[in-house]
Amino acid sequence: MTDPLPPVEPLDARRATDMDEASSLIDAVFRLERAVTRIGNARLRPWGMTLSSYTALRILARQPHLTLAQLARRCYARPQTMTRMVTQLESRGLVERSAHPESERALSLRVTDEGLAALREMGVEVLKVSDTLNSLLDREAIAATDRQLRQAAQVVEKEVKEMGQTAG
């Protein structure tokens, strides 16, 4: 088990020399991601699942016939990690691979009926994480924060892409 997260004072309670606003935001995002992963993993433990594998299963349920590479991109995971995850899900009968309808070489991934049933059961627990966040922020605040974080991610991703083009 990992150590509990140390308490963090809000930005306005710290000296300006400790951390600028953007650095504080990055710290808060990482802290939230870690906390959500930990509580999600704890809530999914009875099913022997992690939040990452649940997310992959949920994405496949919404978008059947993805390839491993497509699923890895949608889950922000490395292909090797996704291969291991899908192999585990497949061995448990939650996912199956078959010939891809649009490609002779690719394999298509699909959630099985057993996987859909497990998703319904697990979804009740995962929604409790959302309920926790909803108790803190109203819908408008969540929507605005989501929009701003996605815009920030796009700006940083564009910069990374431009850096890659100039590095070569």
Side-chain angles (χ1 to χ4, degrees), residues 49 53 56-57 60 68 71 82-99 107-112 114-115:
M49 296 281 281
S53 55
L57 201 59
L60 279 176
L68 257 170
L71 182 59
M82 190 53 58
T83 298
R84 283 191 303 274
M85 191 181 303
V86 167
T87 299
Q88 290 171 354
L89 292 170
E90 187 178 33
S91 72
R92 296 178 60 187
L94 304 177
V95 170
E96 64 184 17
R97 302 178 209 215
S98 60
L107 289 177
S108 175
L109 301 172
R110 184 184 77 76
V111 177
T112 64
E114 186 177 339

Side-chain angles (χ1 to χ4, degrees), residues 28-38 51:
V29 168
F30 275 119
R31 183 179 179 146
L32 177 61
E33 188 274 334
R34 184 173 176 204
V36 167
T37 298
R38 288 175 73 186
L51 192 55

Side-chain angles (χ1 to χ4, degrees), residues 54 57-59 61 111 114-124:
Y54 169 84
L57 201 59
R58 190 187 52 159
I59 289 170
V111 177
E114 186 177 339
L116 292 172
L119 266 175
R120 282 190 293 275
E121 288 177 19
M122 293 182 289
V124 173

Side-chain angles (χ1 to χ4, degrees), residues 93-138:
L94 304 177
V95 170
E96 64 184 17
R97 302 178 209 215
S98 60
H100 196 280
E102 298 172 7
S103 171
E104 293 179 16
R105 294 180 0 170
L107 289 177
S108 175
L109 301 172
R110 184 184 77 76
V111 177
T112 64
D113 290 341
E114 186 177 339
L116 292 172
L119 266 175
R120 282 190 293 275
E121 288 177 19
M122 293 182 289
V124 173
E125 285 299 310
V126 172
L127 280 177
K128 290 178 183 178
V129 177
S130 294
D131 290 342
T132 299
L133 294 175
N134 288 332
S135 71
L136 176 66
L137 301 169
D138 62 27

